[in-house]
Amino acid sequence: MTATMPALFLSHGAPPLVDSDLWVSQLAKWAGDLPRPKAILMVSAHWESAPLTIGSTTTGTPLVYDFGGFPERFYRTTYESPGAPELAAQVVSLMPDDETVSHQPHRGLDHGAYVPLTVMYPDADIPVLQISLPTLDPQRLLHLGERLRPLREQGVLIVGSGFTTHGLPFLRDPSPDAKAPGWSSEFDAWADERLAAGDVDSLIDFRSLAPGMPYAHPTIEHFAPLFVTLGASSDPEQIPRQVIDGFWMGLAKRSIQVS
């Protein structure tokens, strides 16, 4: 029998986050506690493209090294997960007939997708498909997640990959163990409270209601994948399991699981 998979929102971090023993151990344990997915559907903050766009479905498509200024070893990372053409066809079938779906068959996984997967499923033996963020509107992303929800019953792990705070321009201390700035800790505490209360309406209006804005998210693409995850849950107002918390470089790495 195929297990119904949860949906996840995780704070994926820059490539050097794999050097954090704590994050690696937390993420590996999280994956180990999950049923084994039949396939994985990734929605990353690092791919905005409208209309909804489906990436490569071919095994071995090169990764997208969409970052700069890091040691050379991070540009040599590989993750040759099997392609997922069947999952791509299922995604298309779940979209409204009047909604265009685009394809970029040569676009591989970006670091928001492959960095956490190298920790969660290091053998790269599960089919992975990445789709774009077709909008940054939280309500529309909730609806997208709702359309994708049936995939969970077929053993597909849906992962929204972003970061709970992402105010990179306002960081004063870039060290991994830096104290969180007030805008980061305040936004994170607010997100924790709103998630624990199942207050989706306030989360949708985070740009107006959350403390720490706009410093916590000067651009909002790193919070946006959360709404795909919530929409894919059986009830967006459920109290999620908050699996990872704390900070890295002062940024909140809060990550959740919903059923």
Side-chain angles (χ1 to χ4, degrees):
M1 179 181 295
T2 300
T4 297
M5 298 299 298
L8 315 181
F9 170 76
L10 56 83
S11 295
H12 62 251
L17 198 50
V18 298
D19 292 337
S20 166
D21 292 340
L22 175 60
W23 184 74
V24 167
S25 65
Q26 290 171 325
L27 199 55
K29 182 180 185 305
W30 190 3
D33 290 341
L34 297 173
R36 181 175 170 82
K38 181 179 178 182
I40 302 170
L41 181 65
M42 300 293 302
V43 184
S44 161
H46 293 278
W47 189 17
E48 298 173 56
S49 184
L52 180 74
T53 306
I54 292 174
S56 171
T57 60
T58 304
T59 303
T61 301
L63 301 176
V64 178
Y65 303 104
D66 53 338
F67 46 82
F70 295 115
E72 179 63 26
R73 62 190 172 94
F74 291 117
Y75 302 89
R76 296 177 181 170
T77 300
T78 59
Y79 194 78
E80 295 191 4
S81 55
E86 294 181 0
L87 178 54
Q90 289 174 300
V91 170
V92 172
S93 72
L94 292 170
M95 296 301 110
D97 291 340
D98 60 351
E99 189 167 310
T100 302
V101 177
S102 185
H103 297 262
Q104 288 190 20
H106 302 298
R107 190 191 193 281
L109 304 176
D110 62 46
H111 82 266
Y114 75 76
V115 167
L117 289 177
T118 62
V119 175
M120 298 176 76
Y121 302 104
D123 293 335
D125 56 354
I126 299 173
V128 179
L129 178 71
Q130 184 173 353
I131 61 175
S132 71
L133 279 169
T135 176
L136 295 179
D137 179 78
Q139 193 69 59
R140 291 176 61 192
L141 291 173
L142 277 170
H143 292 323
L144 173 60
E146 290 171 3
R147 294 177 186 132
L148 297 172
R149 185 184 301 165
L151 297 173
R152 295 177 43 228
E153 298 176 359
Q154 301 172 42
V156 177
L157 179 65
I158 298 175
V159 181
S161 179
F163 223 102
T164 298
T165 60
H166 200 254
L168 292 177
F170 307 110
L171 293 178
R172 297 295 176 260
D173 180 356
S175 60
D177 297 326
K179 181 180 179 180
W183 49 260
S184 185
S185 59
E186 291 168 7
F187 184 100
D188 179 60
W190 179 87
D192 179 16
E193 293 172 356
R194 293 306 88 210
L195 287 164
D199 187 359
V200 177
D201 288 341
S202 291
L203 290 165
I204 287 172
D205 201 19
F206 74 96
R207 282 171 286 186
S208 299
L209 298 179
M213 290 295 291
Y215 302 100
H217 290 283
T219 58
I220 64 170
E221 76 287 336
H222 274 74
F223 204 57
L226 170 67
F227 297 102
V228 179
T229 298
L230 293 177
S233 70
S234 57
D235 176 7
E237 294 184 347
Q238 70 179 266
I239 299 173
R241 179 186 170 207
Q242 304 208 39
V243 183
I244 295 175
D245 58 11
F247 299 87
W248 180 77
M249 283 181 50
L251 302 176
K253 57 180 182 178
R254 186 170 303 281
S255 303
I256 66 166
Q257 176 176 322
V258 292
S259 60

